[in-house]
Structures are given as structure tokens and as C-alpha cells.
Amino acid sequence: MEWGRHNVSPRAPTPAAVNFTRDWEVGSVTTTTVYKSFSNTMVNASIGLWVGLRGVNITLAGNPVHQLNETINYNEWFSWETRTHYDIDYREGLEKGLPSPVMYVAEKFNSNSPCRLHQQYCISTYYSSAIMWAAFCSWILSNVLFCMPFLVYGIYMLFATAMCIIVSLTSFATVRQAPECSIHFGSTVLRTRFGLSFWLSFATGIFCLIISIILLLIHVMRPSTLRRLFSLKDNEDLCNKIDKEDDSVSEDNKPDAVSQML
């Protein structure tokens, strides 16, 4: 059986897209465990944990998928946008009778769990998401300013984008300060690590930081080179040419005006 299945796939590493991905922190383990509560039936399965800024995804896939005359392939989403959301999703999981491994992992992030992971993750991801949206706004502004003759302000906004991304990643990384609460399946422990979205965001932040610093140095040392990089030289030459033509026309008109006055 399958309940609430979602596709878990990395998205483009833009500041806006990573707000919706579910692989900021990932972990998986393959083990033999109890399938249902109050039952001795054992299954061999892979259990996965996918943490995003809006909640946690818990997967359970049998090895093989078809066991016990049914399809063991679960992918459940538990939202922690608010404390109420997670508790509601957890309660609905109990009512649907989800497998014991799924609910065991979900219980670790419950607001009433002694692990206290829920509060730590809610606070960290809330600020990470908010700052990442700020990074997206500054990234849009930098692109707009680079299309206009305000290059230095575009560089400043690109630098602000980099700093927002780095601060957002730092906020998310504070989840490592939460008390360690191991997720045991027999002798096997499910351990997590930073996922693809985290490292792509990190690479994007470092890239924006390096580019903004390089452009700022070029602006200070060789401003004409910076204008050529952004194809502003032709525009300036055209403006200068128009100004010169206007000046010449005005000078030609001066004798006519004097003659008319006489």
C-alpha cells in the first residue's frame, strides 16, 4: 500500500527554489525491522529521512518492494511550518496505521518528544527560509541593476545575496547543536548528513561572494574595464557623440541668432 506519496528530487539551486526542496539534510539505512505495531512480523526495508525547510519526508521501501502480499513503498510528509501542522500530520499517520518504522522516525520530531528536535528544527528552518527569501530579492535587484548604468549598486546587491545565503546556511547548521537523539533500528543507527540543497546553496553563496568581490575590485581599479564587461562603453560613446552633435548645432545657430538680433 502507498500513502501520501511525494516525489523527492533536488531542484535548481536558486535562493527561491531551495525553500521548497526536501534534501537539506538526508539519511538512510537498510535493516530488518518490525513492520507493524503490536506484531512480530519482520521486513527487510530501506528507511530514508529527508529534511527540508518546511518539514520532513520519511520513506520506507521494502527489499524487495513486494513482501507480505503487499507493496511496501511509503513516502510520508510531515510539515513543521507550525507546531499544529506537525502534530496533525503525526496524528493522521497514526489513524491511517502507517508502518512502525515510519511512525518511529516521525515520533523523534514530534513536539512532545523528549528529543526536543522539533523546536530546534522549527526555529532554524524558519529563519533559514526567511533569509533565503531575502537572498532571492537581492538577487533579483542585482540582475535589474546590472542591466542599468548602476553597476556598483548591482555589485553591492550581489554581495548582499551571498551574505544572506551564507547566514541562512549558518542558521540551518545550528540544528547540529540539538541534543543527539539516535534513531535505532536494532543494532543499526540512522544517521543524517547535509544534503544536495545545502551544498548547492553553499556553492552558490561562495560563487556570488567571489564574483562580487572581483567586480568590486575591478570597479575600484579599472572602472572602464567594468563598463566594457557589461557593454556600457558603446552606450557612453553614443551619448558623448550625441552631446557633441548638439553642441555643434548650437554653435552653428549662434551666428544666425546674432544676425536676426541686428
Side-chain angles (χ1 to χ4, degrees), residues 65-84:
V65 175
H66 300 284
Q67 297 184 51
L68 306 177
N69 296 324
E70 63 176 289
T71 300
I72 302 176
N73 188 13
Y74 295 84
N75 196 326
E76 297 298 321
W77 173 251
F78 298 86
S79 172
W80 55 41
E81 292 187 25
T82 65
R83 176 175 179 175
T84 306

Side-chain angles (χ1 to χ4, degrees), residues 26-159:
V26 298
S28 63
V29 66
T30 301
T31 185
T32 300
T33 182
V34 175
Y35 181 50
K36 294 286 186 178
S37 300
F38 310 107
S39 174
N40 294 326
T41 305
M42 307 288 288
V43 295
N44 186 272
S46 296
I47 303 147
L49 178 62
W50 306 73
V51 179
L53 298 183
R54 296 175 176 267
V56 59
N57 228 97
I58 303 172
T59 62
L60 176 68
N63 295 318
V65 175
H66 300 284
Q67 297 184 51
L68 306 177
N69 296 324
E70 63 176 289
T71 300
I72 302 176
N73 188 13
Y74 295 84
N75 196 326
E76 297 298 321
W77 173 251
F78 298 86
S79 172
W80 55 41
E81 292 187 25
T82 65
R83 176 175 179 175
T84 306
H85 273 116
Y86 195 93
D87 290 343
I88 292 174
D89 290 344
Y90 181 79
R91 184 170 62 252
E92 289 178 352
L94 292 174
E95 293 174 353
K96 289 188 295 186
L98 294 179
S100 179
V102 174
M103 299 310 300
Y104 170 66
V105 177
E107 184 182 8
K108 296 293 184 179
F109 296 90
N110 195 299
S111 59
N112 297 321
S113 173
C115 291
R116 293 182 296 172
L117 293 177
H118 181 84
Q119 182 178 4
Q120 181 68 33
Y121 272 88
C122 277
I123 295 174
S124 300
T125 55
Y126 174 80
Y127 288 107
S128 294
S129 179
I131 299 172
M132 196 62 74
W133 278 115
F136 176 68
C137 294
S138 60
W139 177 72
I140 292 292
L141 286 175
S142 68
N143 281 274
V144 172
L145 292 170
F146 280 139
C147 296
M148 303 170 65
F150 304 108
L151 298 181
V152 65
Y153 297 107
I155 296 172
Y156 292 156
M157 295 311 300
L158 185 62
F159 181 79

